[in-house]
Amino acid sequence: MCGIVGYIGDTQAADLLMEGLSRLEYRGYDSAGIAVLNGNGLDIRREVGKLRNLAKEVAVNAPKGLIGIGHTRWATHGRPTTTNAHPHTDTLGQLVVVHNGIFENYLEIKHELIKDGVIFLSDTDSEVLAHLVARSYTGDLRLAVQVALSRMHGSYAIAVLHQDHPDLLVAARNGCPLILGIGAEENFIASDIPAILNHTRQIIYLEDGDIAEVRQRSWSVFNLQGERQHRDQTTIEWSLVAAEKGGYDHFMLKEINEQPTTLAQTLGGRMGEEEGRVYVDEFGITDEQLRRIRQIVIVACGTSHYAGLVGEYYFEQLARIPTTVEYASEFRYRKPVVDGDTLIIGLSQSGETADTLAAIREANNLGGLTASILNVQGSAMSRETQGTLYMRVGPEIGVASTKAYTGTVASLLLVALHTAQVRGHVTADFVRETLGSLRQVPSWIEETLAEVGAIQDLAAMLHTFRNCLYLGRGVNYPTALEGALKLKELSYIHAEALPAGEMKHGPIALLDADFPVIAVATKSAVYDKTLSNLKEVAARDAVTIALGTRGDERLAEVVDRVIYVPETPEIISPLVNVVPLQLLAYYVATKKGCDVDQPRNLAKSVTVE
Ligand code: F6R
């Protein structure tokens, strides 16, 4: 989704803006632009496509000035064109705005402004704000932004620059991420930390409804009524190297390979093996509340949704609590049955996904207990839920989620174990044993990553197909769903997933030699049934590939190819089994020459509904 960077200080702004935007590329975008105040007025540069197009334009004749704002745009209103790219100006060209989010009532205000004689140059909702700020401006830029924003409904992070105020950046947020970066003799604004981490580790997270005035040596935050707000500074501990590729060809490959480490971080300090208990206090739901709840509803999108399906299995199997997993985008439109004894858990890597946030807000309005499992610290969802268990997997830059999936699944298992124990469904011995297995997950994943050669061979065979069917059962049905999602989003091969037993009820009609089938067939309670399903597939001439438990020779007799993973307890197996499917999707996509870190049409954090 769009990215914003702003700078005021004693260095040429254009250089810092371009560097900041390049660190936000992972968010997904289709055009980019910067505006710098150069002493005479605003120097604006905008280009469609990759940032390198803008960099070329800037390199020819760089805008000169010590204050500026920049933006990467992911088209929502209006096509990705230069005129729709940000920054947008008012009619006199005295001010510029950049905007991330959607102004839902922009058409109504646009018509009002057109009646007043304003001529619009773009199709965007964002341009409305530029004209509205200009109309409200009487010398005080923050006040003008405040008045303009009071007319707009929807989500936004914005930054505004006015030629009469070469010492001031105004920024505001409501529903979209925005931070201030505090430096020595310079200050920044940005959508996300990596954009400015090279220059400062002192961050202020703006909250919804905040308007900030940022100057070279000072900053202040106000609310939409103009009252001053107190905001704390946070020191960021991440290294920039942690947010960069670390020697791999792509962020995604780095992130897949990081999983032994990231899972150790997720689990670290939370496993009381000696006592036979789990420590998840940050989740924020008291033992008393956990005893009382009568149902759990998990709300999430995409990969987080599939992680939630594994969680459903955990909460039902271990804690015996009826659990459903909802597409967050559907949740609030179906009059959900929620009361004070319902626990609603939001799952989100970014913590900013608009649909999941809206579902959590709805759950809060209905009086449910809400908690979240997130990755990005200080993100909006953490402020809307009673507690947040952070998965602690570090910045995920590749657009396709990998380490956040395993981080979410492991976090769900910890919470489910704790809930089950509090409700008296599992003993300390069971918890101890499960934690003992969890502790081995990093080394099991290491072993799985070592199968890379076999996976590359498989990718070389698969990359020419146009369709692919994934099968799984039980706790590994979500693994099949996640494998299919990875393949389709990275390689653009049509891929679907089914519970293996469902295939014979219709979809089997699709199968022939051009329709390969990939099945998760590791040892489990449903292994024999999966094997029978695979025999049905093999009888239709489809190429059959299975993920199997090391040493399982029976499987090799039924299918064409087997990728082996170490033997793991069934409850743990989704954490290990997903890894070869992530790698497979990665290698099929790279074989096809696809942009794995930024697949077409996708954005890292989907902050519009
Ligand atoms: C797929 C993917 C998306 C996200 C989804 C939710 O690889 O990354 O499906 O999982 O957009 O994002 P978060 O977890 O940030 O709420």
Side-chain angles (χ1 to χ4, degrees):
M1 202 78 14
C2 311
I4 291 176
V5 187
Y7 175 77
I8 180 164
D10 49 14
T11 305
Q12 286 302 321
D15 297 341
L16 289 156
L17 296 176
M18 291 304 295
E19 182 199 332
L21 291 180
S22 73
R23 302 219 185 274
L24 294 179
E25 280 193 286
Y26 71 91
R27 295 170 71 86
Y29 67 102
D30 38 45
S31 61
I34 60 170
V36 171
L37 268 178
N38 63 11
N40 299 316
L42 286 158
D43 189 344
I44 303 171
R45 310 295 172 84
R46 302 183 296 179
E47 287 293 334
V48 176
K50 291 286 178 198
L51 207 53
R52 58 176 171 268
N53 301 346
L54 180 66
K56 252 190 237 157
E57 155 72 21
V58 168
V60 173
N61 175 18
K64 301 271 181 306
L66 307 178
I67 174 171
I69 54 180
H71 188 264
T72 44
R73 172 174 187 258
W74 188 71
T76 55
H77 292 65
R79 293 177 54 71
T81 60
T82 312
T83 43
N84 286 335
H86 297 215
H88 292 288
T89 61
D90 65 318
T91 307
L92 296 176
Q94 293 182 326
L95 66 88
V96 275
V97 304
V98 289
H99 166 222
N100 176 8
I102 287 181
F103 291 127
E104 278 158 15
N105 60 337
Y106 85 102
L107 269 180
E108 174 196 323
I109 296 181
K110 185 170 180 175
H111 290 144
E112 185 186 309
L113 290 165
I114 289 171
K115 262 198 218 142
D116 286 353
V118 173
I119 295 169
F120 277 79
L121 300 177
S122 78
D123 307 317
T124 65
D125 53 336
S126 314
E127 191 185 346
V128 169
L129 184 70
H131 297 297
L132 213 49
V133 174
R135 203 167 69 164
S136 315
Y137 179 73
T138 53
D140 182 335
L141 184 58
R142 179 185 41 95
L143 185 62
V145 171
Q146 184 182 312
V147 172
L149 286 176
S150 69
R151 297 280 327 270
M152 306 304 306
H153 304 156
S155 57
Y156 56 78
I158 60 143
V160 186
L161 200 60
H162 194 295
Q163 65 175 29
D164 292 351
H165 299 273
D167 59 343
L168 175 64
L169 286 172
V170 175
R173 78 158 270 171
N174 185 47
C176 293
L178 200 64
I179 56 169
L180 308 185
I182 309 306
E185 302 292 311
E186 59 184 3
N187 286 319
F188 302 80
I189 55 179
S191 299
D192 201 359
I193 293 163
I196 55 178
L197 202 54
N198 244 348
H199 303 281
T200 179
R201 295 184 167 273
Q202 296 305 311
I203 300 296
I204 289 140
Y205 293 102
L206 293 183
E207 296 185 9
D208 283 352
D210 282 353
I211 303 187
E213 281 188 353
V214 184
R215 299 176 195 275
Q216 188 184 351
R217 296 183 189 86
S218 66
W219 57 272
S220 349
V221 178
F222 302 83
N223 64 14
L224 285 170
Q225 287 70 48
E227 295 154 347
R228 200 177 273 266
Q229 303 296 299
H230 173 81
R231 294 286 169 261
D232 288 326
Q233 238 167 272
T234 309
T235 306
I236 297 299
E237 310 289 352
W238 292 353
S239 70
L240 192 55
V241 177
E244 291 180 346
K245 284 186 201 155
Y248 288 97
D249 287 347
H250 297 95
F251 283 114
M252 184 186 171
L253 188 58
K254 169 175 170 268
E255 287 159 7
I256 293 172
N257 279 279
E258 271 174 357
Q259 288 175 109
T261 313
T262 57
L263 276 166
Q265 285 168 18
T266 306
L267 302 171
R270 292 169 171 162
M271 303 200 294
E273 277 151 288
E274 277 184 20
E275 315 85 285
R277 59 159 298 189
V278 173
Y279 296 94
V280 284
D281 298 354
E282 315 98 282
F283 191 62
I285 306 295
T286 64
D287 289 356
E288 215 280 301
Q289 288 169 323
L290 287 177
R291 273 183 215 107
R292 214 182 60 216
I293 51 178
R294 282 185 295 151
Q295 62 160 341
I296 294 177
V297 182
I298 295 174
V299 290
C301 304
T303 286
S304 295
H305 179 97
Y306 296 150
L309 291 172
V310 184
E312 175 184 27
Y313 180 97
Y314 291 157
F315 284 114
E316 293 197 340
Q317 299 281 316
L318 299 174
R320 309 302 299 150
I321 303 175
T323 303
T324 51
V325 187
E326 302 278 351
Y327 285 111
S329 55
E330 290 291 312
F331 179 71
R332 69 192 173 124
Y333 300 108
R334 48 182 297 251
K335 297 202 178 147
V337 183
V338 167
D339 59 19
D341 293 337
T342 306
L343 170 62
I344 297 93
I345 307 175
L347 306 179
S348 178
Q349 187 285 129
S350 61
E352 302 282 348
T353 298
D355 286 321
T356 314
L357 258 179
I360 287 291
R361 284 180 186 144
E362 177 71 5
N364 281 329
N365 289 340
L366 293 169
L369 295 168
T370 54
S372 49
I373 294 175
L374 308 176
N375 189 33
V376 177
Q377 284 197 17
S379 50
M381 217 172 298
S382 67
R383 294 193 289 273
E384 309 257 352
T385 48
Q386 200 170 312
T388 297
L389 187 72
Y390 284 105
M391 62 186 85
R392 306 195 292 217
V393 300
E396 191 178 64
I397 308 288
V399 165
S401 190
T402 51
K403 60 180 178 171
Y405 177 80
T406 45
T408 310
V409 171
S411 304
L412 282 164
L413 182 50
L414 291 178
V415 174
L417 271 176
H418 176 66
T419 310
Q421 191 167 29
V422 164
R423 291 168 72 104
H425 288 292
V426 296
T427 61
D429 277 346
F430 178 85
V431 173
R432 197 171 292 121
E433 194 188 319
T434 311
L435 295 182
S437 302
L438 266 174
R439 198 163 286 288
Q440 292 189 64
V441 168
S443 62
W444 283 329
I445 294 186
E446 295 281 10
E447 273 183 57
T448 309
L449 289 167
E451 293 295 319
V452 62
I455 295 169
Q456 282 169 327
D457 286 350
L458 192 55
M461 185 269 284
L462 273 182
H463 84 282
T464 54
F465 287 95
R466 299 188 59 198
N467 299 290
C468 199
L469 181 65
Y470 284 68
L471 300 176
R473 291 189 86 126
V475 74
N476 277 299
Y477 168 49
T479 310
L481 285 163
E482 176 58 5
L485 178 61
K486 289 285 93 82
L487 189 72
K488 69 183 131 189
E489 68 182 332
L490 293 172
S491 72
Y492 319 136
I493 292 174
H494 167 239
E496 294 304 331
L498 287 174
E502 192 56 25
M503 192 193 50
K504 58 184 171 298
H505 297 288
I508 198 165
L510 289 168
L511 300 186
D512 61 19
D514 293 326
F515 212 126
V517 173
I518 302 176
V520 184
T522 46
K523 286 286 171 63
S524 71
V526 288
Y527 171 76
D528 285 328
K529 296 221 172 342
T530 309
L531 210 60
S532 308
N533 299 139
L534 277 174
K535 285 180 185 156
E536 292 157 13
V537 172
R540 268 80 196 174
D541 288 338
V543 177
T544 44
I545 299 144
L547 212 63
T549 304
R550 179 152 303 128
D552 180 359
E553 276 156 27
R554 227 169 115 205
L555 189 60
E557 284 163 20
V558 175
V559 301
D560 298 308
R561 297 210 191 189
V562 188
I563 299 288
Y564 284 112
V565 290
E567 181 159 9
T568 57
E570 189 170 355
I571 194 174
I572 306 281
S573 62
L575 289 166
V576 177
N577 289 351
V578 76
V579 174
L581 301 185
Q582 295 169 340
L583 281 174
L584 182 63
Y586 171 83
Y587 285 113
V588 169
T590 45
K591 189 91 192 145
K592 289 186 72 175
C594 301
D595 185 348
V596 275
D597 277 339
Q598 288 168 45
R600 70 185 180 206
N601 306 337
L602 294 185
K604 181 66 186 161
S605 112
V606 185
T607 52
V608 292
E609 284 182 50

